[in-house]
């Protein structure tokens, strides 16, 4: 083995020379087995982070003869190719075979690197920074009045108000449609079940059930898959990335709205294990973006435009934060929880004024939803239904005793472990889906398969576990089926769990009286629903994960509650408390899967309506997060990683202080002169994927030539200028009819350069970029350390950061992906820093 | 549950009142409402005291009579008295009938005579206002308890609760002046009773009807299921149709018969379980189990695997890592260290690119 290392080292070194990056090692990393790195083929080691010891580093600073020892930081990969003590030939043969297989497996993995270990190149960044070009300053001059500022301020608040109202309307509409249709569906199934249990024709209800499920689900899946694939899933990972500053084309469009809202109705009616709460956050964001832009783009390229003063990434992003908050708020009836959700999960740029506006929007959304749903229920002035899902007020006070805290902590640990298992299984499934099930029709069929199996399993449990009870369900509207139950007033206890939407199921688990659900049926329910939840999440349908997670947790929480009651003698008074354990279980499970603590605590407390029970909820959410984080990342973070989103964390990864801006920047740099020929611009846009180009001025009179940075021009500006034909033959005066309004009209810009037609004659014309480029771009010097660059970039929400040398000559560009490549994570208690690849997509 | 409690209460109520009515009706007819009220209020302890005072008070009229006698009955006219006694008769008959027919339930069809009689009598009393004999005021409006009204109300509640009117053809119930009741059973009821008769005669052959009306299975014989299934199914279908047509407002007589038949059919005879059907379900279940397996396995092997293309980022040469990279003073310090670096440290401006020398 040692000789192999020696053989390969120079090769790795020479190839890696260009790109390896030295990192100060810490204690944990250096114990990485040395043999592991040998197995890595040389061409794939391009971007590995290289830990170098202090002495080596000093040596590097002096001479350039740095020993290149690329070591993977990925502890989990476990490339432990232990050295074998070869005792005899058979074991030698076996071990060599074994090593071959291992090598092959590793090659297999390296040819397509793990999904979490790469960023996808198609995701671009948003411009949170406003481009202060000449046009902008001119327009600002026009509006230099206090009245204008006030009007704008009022306008923002009005839009936030409208966002709240819009979200509330949507929430109430979805609620009414889903509840009524689902009730009809399950009444039908129940009638057949009851009838057929006596007549012996049970194949009828199961076939009807499956047929309804598969038709409705596939309709929903087709809608999402073909109309707007970005509407799949809960949408929260996307919204999170968007608010972090990643540009996601199509995420906030009218099509996505239709696919999301109609899709979620379909998937719930289709009997999938999903909720409508996650999609509400996305729908709220779309409403917010639409209201912020003041324009709706319909499918056929038509649009109606009302106002345009907020059409830039900066403003839209603020509104979307409000929209996400009001979505969550109207889903759970939790205005504070919604605001905190937006803060914790999503927003990267936060200030007090924005907080107030977001809170205002979510308050309006909560109030509006309450009013509308109360009206639907027939008593509009009572305001008794603040959210879509409501844990309802528990009939008894949720008192807890100190002695119960250990039980809660135990449950939190279980929740964390189960949550991590959920994430791991779903990750494997997601990767499988990405690799193999990537055709649209297959995605639709897969959704159909899941829905059919959901119905079949639910039916199987109903019939197979004939758990009869005479207790009354907590919800008077619950559909209960007698099925095989014979006695007077007896009915199947699982029917309140399966003959309802997942929300109704959750409510039943929280509120049904003690003795309603037997342990056997609960165990079966937990197992089935857990796997159905894993299986459903990530389908190409619009679906949320909140409700299934809560339902799984509530079911095993109830089991724990029953166990506690049986273990403690003379504890009949505890029987009324079984709903309390269900609530704690739900909190543990959700915390274990999502790993957001503050907002979830507030949401759950607001949902329960009992502040005194906040403490146990806080404790269990905290512990389940810790336990879960020890094993994997949260579900949404996993999704973001699989999507390859270049997310910037709050802080720069540690141990990167010795990386310089010049190490991470993109190079060579493509630049324009202030007056540039159309041909140059056109071909540059065609050939390069860059979105920002520095504008430089070259003084050829002096030697050496002096290059001076004049500004930064963005790709979409150039595209618009080409599109509007703002150029002229050399020596003439260029048309000046492009106003800032035109840029706003084309926001968001998804034009391609190939779509712009420019004649051969026009190719030789010149374009004066002066009024359009941003003359004051942010720059850093090449010796800036990575943390400094990172903080500047993150803090200001930049998209392009120009790296200059000590003569202020631009030599490179730092973009989001250059920074997001360095990812820090901790698994099993070990900090690891990864250097991600970039996938071309 | 609630409705059953309610009906029970109302029956109980009715019973109490009617018993009372029966007991005192003799005296009631002669006494004024004052006495009936007071006699209700009194208990035995103060009864004697009261009797003394009472006798004292009314001694001029009928000294020495018992307490139940009262002021002269001149204020109650004969026709009213007659109404009262007739109503009491009918009501008492109805209550007796209702209790008798409460199990097995056949209240509606059995007790319609007395119910309609009592009801029509009450109607007559009600219509007998001041323009006629004035019995309405005298019998109904003169006290707080309103015995007749309450009894009538309770009877009606019992009747409505059992949805008895659904048994009969609408508007077919008539009461003539003599108090004779004529009615026609509705089409559905007749048909149901016929089917019920068929079914029960079929089932009865296999059952011992015990003394208390319960069934005991003579022999567990599955032939009963096969033989009676057509009857039972016809009965059940007809009942479900009736339920649907009347939105679950079926006369209680029929509901009770149906319930009973279903219980016998299911619990006693075990005719509902069908093993043939279970096989179908199991087959569907197994198919469902394999569906996802087939789907994913075929997806794994038939689906085109998506390869990840890694992008080579545009990166600068190693030399660029020098801190003074890009400066124009040719610093020869590092020159010897890298063989290709002779032309390094210069920014070459070619066309639109700033290109740093690559190795």
């Amino acid at each position: 083995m040692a000789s192999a290392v020696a053989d390969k080292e120079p090769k790795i070194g020479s190839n890696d020379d260009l790109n390896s990056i030295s990192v100060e090692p810490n204690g944990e990393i250096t114990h990485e087995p040395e043999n592991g790195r040998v197995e890595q083929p040389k061409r794939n080691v391009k971007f590995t982070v290289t830990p170098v010891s202090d002495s080596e580093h000093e040596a590097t600073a002096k001479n350039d003869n740095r020993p290149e020892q690329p070591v993977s930081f990925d502890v989990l990969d476990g490339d432990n190719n232990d050295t074998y003590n070869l005792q005899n030939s058979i074991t030698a043969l076996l071990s060599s075979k074994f090593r071959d297989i291992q090598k092959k497996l590793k090659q297999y993995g390296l040819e397509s690197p793990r999904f979490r270990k790469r960023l996808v190149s198609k995701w671009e960044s948003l411009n949170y920074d406003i481009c202060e070009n000449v046009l902008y300053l001119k327009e600002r001059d026009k509006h230099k009045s206090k009245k204008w500022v006030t009007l704008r301020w009022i306008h923002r608040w009005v839009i936030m108000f409208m966002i709240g109202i819009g979200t509330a309307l949507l929430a109430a509409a979805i609620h009414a449609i889903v509840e009524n249709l689902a009730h009809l569906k399950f009444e039908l199934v129940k009638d057949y079940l009851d009838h057929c249990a006596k007549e012996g024709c049970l194949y009828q209800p199961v076939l009807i059930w499956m047929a309804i499920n598969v038709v409705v689900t596939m309709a929903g899946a087709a809608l999402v898959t073909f109309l707007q694939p970005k509407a799949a899933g809960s949408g929260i990972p996307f919204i999170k990335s968007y608010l972090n500053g990643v540009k996601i084309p199509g995420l906030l469009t009218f099509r996505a709205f239709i696919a999301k809202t109609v899709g979620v109705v379909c998937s719930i009616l289709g009997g999938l294990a999903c909720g409508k709460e996650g999609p509400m956050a996305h729908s709220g964001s779309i409403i917010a973006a639409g209201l912020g832009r003041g324009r709706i783009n319909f499918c056929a390229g038509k649009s109606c435009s009302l106002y345009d003063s907020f059409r830039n990434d900066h403003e839209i992003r603020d509104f979307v934060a409000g929209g996400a908050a009001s979505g969550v708020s109207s889903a759970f009836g939790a205005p504070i929880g919604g605001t905190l959700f937006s803060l914790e999960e999503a927003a990267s740029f936060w200030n007090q004024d924005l907080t107030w506006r977001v809170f205002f929007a979510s308050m309006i959304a909560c109030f509006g939803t309450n009013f509308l749903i109360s009206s639907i229920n027939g008593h509009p002035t009572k305001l008794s239904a603040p959210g879509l899902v409501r844990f309802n007020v528990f009939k008894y006070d949720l008192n807890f005793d100190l002695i119960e805290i250990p039980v809660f902590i135990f449950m939190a640990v279980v929740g964390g472990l189960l949550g991590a298992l959920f994430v791991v299984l779903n990750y494997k499934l997601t990767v499988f889906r990405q690799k193999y099930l990537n055709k649209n029709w297959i995605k639709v069929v897969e959704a159909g398969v899941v829905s059919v199996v959901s119905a079949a399993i639910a039916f199987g449990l109903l019939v197979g576990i004939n758990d009869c009870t005479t207790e009354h369900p907590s919800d008077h509207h619950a559909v209960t089926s007698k099925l095989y139950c014979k006695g007077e007033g007896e009915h199947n206890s699982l029917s309140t769990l399966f003959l309802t939407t997942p929300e109704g199921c959750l409510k039943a688990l929280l509120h049904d009286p003690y003795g309603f659900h037997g342990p056997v049926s609960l165990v079966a329910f937990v197992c089935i629903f857990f796997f159905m939840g894993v299986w459903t999440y990530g389908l190409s349908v619009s679906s949320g994960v909140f409700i299934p997670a809560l339902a799984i947790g509530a079911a095993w929480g109830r089991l724990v509650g029953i166990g506690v009651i049986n273990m403690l003698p003379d504890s009949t008074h505890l029987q009324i408390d079984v709903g309390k354990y269900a609530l704690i279980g739900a909190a543990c499970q959700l915390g274990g899967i999502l790993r957001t603590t503050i907002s979830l605590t507030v949401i759950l407390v607001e949902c329960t309506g009992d502040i005194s029970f906040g403490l146990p909820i806080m404790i269990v959410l905290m512990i389940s997060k810790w336990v879960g984080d020890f094993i994997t990342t949260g579900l949404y973070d996993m999704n973001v990683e699989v999507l390859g989103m270049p997310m910037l964390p709050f802080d720069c990864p540690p141990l990167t202080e010795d990386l310089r801006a010049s190490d991470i920047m993109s190079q060579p740099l493509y630049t324009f002169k202030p007056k540039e020929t159309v041909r140059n611009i056109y071909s540059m846009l065609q050939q390069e994927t860059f979105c920002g180009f520095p504008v430089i001025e070259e003084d050829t009179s002096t030697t050496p030539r002096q290059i001076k940075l004049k500004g930064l021009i963005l790709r979409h500006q150039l595209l618009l200028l080409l599109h509007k034909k703002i150029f002229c033959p050399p020596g003439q005066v260029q048309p000046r009819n492009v106003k800032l309004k035109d840029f706003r009209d084309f926001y968001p810009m998804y034009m391609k350069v190939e779509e712009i037609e420019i004649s051969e004659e026009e190719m030789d014309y010149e374009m004066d970029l002066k009024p359009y480029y941003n003359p004051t771009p942010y720059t850093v010097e090449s010796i800036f350390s990575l943390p400094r660059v990172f903080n500047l970039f993150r803090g200001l929400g930049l998209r392009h950061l120009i790296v200059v040398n000590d003569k202020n000559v631009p030599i490179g560009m730092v973009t989001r992906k250059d920074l997001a490549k360095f990812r820090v994570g901790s698994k099993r208690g070990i900090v690891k820093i990864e250097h991600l690849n970039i996938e071309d997509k | 549950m609630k409705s059953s409690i309610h009906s029970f209460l109302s029956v109980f109520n009715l019973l109490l009142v009617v018993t009372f009515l029966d007991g005192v009706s003799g005296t009631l007819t002669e006494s004024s409402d004052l006495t009936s009220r007071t006699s209700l209020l009194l208990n035995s302890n103060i009864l004697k005291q009261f009797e003394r005072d009472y006798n004292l008070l009314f001694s001029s009229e009928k000294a020495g009579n018992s307490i139940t006698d009262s002021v002269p009955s001149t204020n109650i006219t004969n026709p009213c008295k007659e109404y009262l006694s007739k109503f009491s008769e009918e009501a008492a008959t109805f209550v007796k009938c209702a209790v008798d027919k409460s199990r097995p339930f056949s209240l509606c069809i059995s007790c319609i005579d007395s119910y309609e009689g009592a009801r029509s009598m009450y109607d007559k009393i009600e219509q007998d206002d001041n323009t006629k004999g004035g019995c309405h005021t005298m019998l109904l409006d003169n006290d707080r308890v309103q015995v007749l009204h309450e009894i009538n109300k309770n009877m009606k509640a019992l009747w409505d609760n059992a949805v008895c009117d659904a048994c009969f053809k609408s508007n077919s119930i008539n009461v003539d002046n003599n108090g004779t009741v004529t009615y026609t059973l509705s089409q559905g009821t007749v048909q149901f009773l016929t089917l019920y008769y068929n079914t029960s005669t079929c089932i009865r052959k296999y059952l011992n009807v015990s003394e208390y009306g319960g069934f005991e299975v003579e022999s567990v014989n599955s032939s009963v299921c096969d033989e009676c299934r057509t009857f039972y199914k016809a009965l059940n279908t007809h009942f479900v149709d009736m339920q649907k047509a009347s939105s679950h407002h079926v006369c209680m007589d029929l509901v009770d018969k149906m319930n009973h038949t279903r219980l016998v059919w299911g619990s006693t005879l075990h005719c509902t379980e069908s093993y043939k059907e279970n096989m179908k379900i199991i087959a569907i279940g197994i198919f469902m189990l394999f569906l996802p397996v087939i789907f994913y396995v075929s997806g794994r092997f038939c689906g085109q695997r998506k390869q990840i293309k890694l992008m080579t980022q545009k990166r600068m040469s190693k030399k660029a890592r020098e801190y003074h990279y890009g400066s124009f003073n040719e610093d020869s310090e590092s020159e010897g260290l890298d063989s290709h670096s002779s032309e390094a440290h210069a920014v070459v401006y070619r066309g639109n690119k700033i290109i740093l020398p690559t190795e």
Side-chain angles (χ1 to χ4, degrees), chain B residues 92 159 243 322:
Chain B
W159 192 258
Q243 263 187 329
E322 294 288 316

Side-chain angles (χ1 to χ4, degrees), chain A residues 32 158 212 235 243 318 344 383 386 422 447 482 508 536 545 550 555 750 784:
Chain A
E32 183 73 14
V158 169
I212 295 175
L243 291 174
D318 285 358
E344 188 180 7
L383 297 183
F422 190 101
K482 273 184 86 71
T536 306
V545 77
L550 285 171
Y750 300 120
F784 271 47

Side-chain angles (χ1 to χ4, degrees), chain B residues 2-37:
Chain B
K2 203 179 167 188
S3 68
S4 71
I5 288 175
H6 180 76
S7 69
F8 170 74
L9 277 181
S10 64
V11 169
F12 187 69
N13 208 344
L14 187 70
L15 274 175
L16 271 183
V17 174
V18 169
T19 329
F20 164 73
L21 191 76
D22 249 3
V24 296
S25 60
T27 56
L28 192 69
T29 45
E30 285 163 41
S31 61
S32 74
D33 54 326
L34 174 76
T35 33
S36 65
R37 251 173 89 179

Side-chain angles (χ1 to χ4, degrees), chain B residues 36-53:
Chain B
S36 65
R37 251 173 89 179
T38 43
S39 66
L40 272 168
L41 293 168
L42 291 175
N43 65 28
S44 61
N45 272 346
I46 58 165
L47 199 66
K48 281 174 188 166
Q49 172 67 35
F50 178 78
E51 197 173 352
R52 242 192 342 269
D53 297 350

Side-chain angles (χ1 to χ4, degrees), chain B residues 90 108-118 159 179-183:
Chain B
E90 296 281 6
C108 295
I109 298 171
S110 311
C111 307
I112 181 156
D113 287 315
S114 47
Y115 174 75
E116 285 299 324
W159 192 258
T180 331
V181 182
T182 54
Y183 57 86

Side-chain angles (χ1 to χ4, degrees), chain A residues 385-403:
Chain A
L388 293 187
V389 64
R390 206 52 198 161
F391 298 161
N392 293 1
V393 180
F394 279 79
K395 277 182 200 152
Y396 310 96
D397 279 346
L398 289 170
N399 295 323
F400 62 99
D401 202 274
L402 197 61
I403 200 140

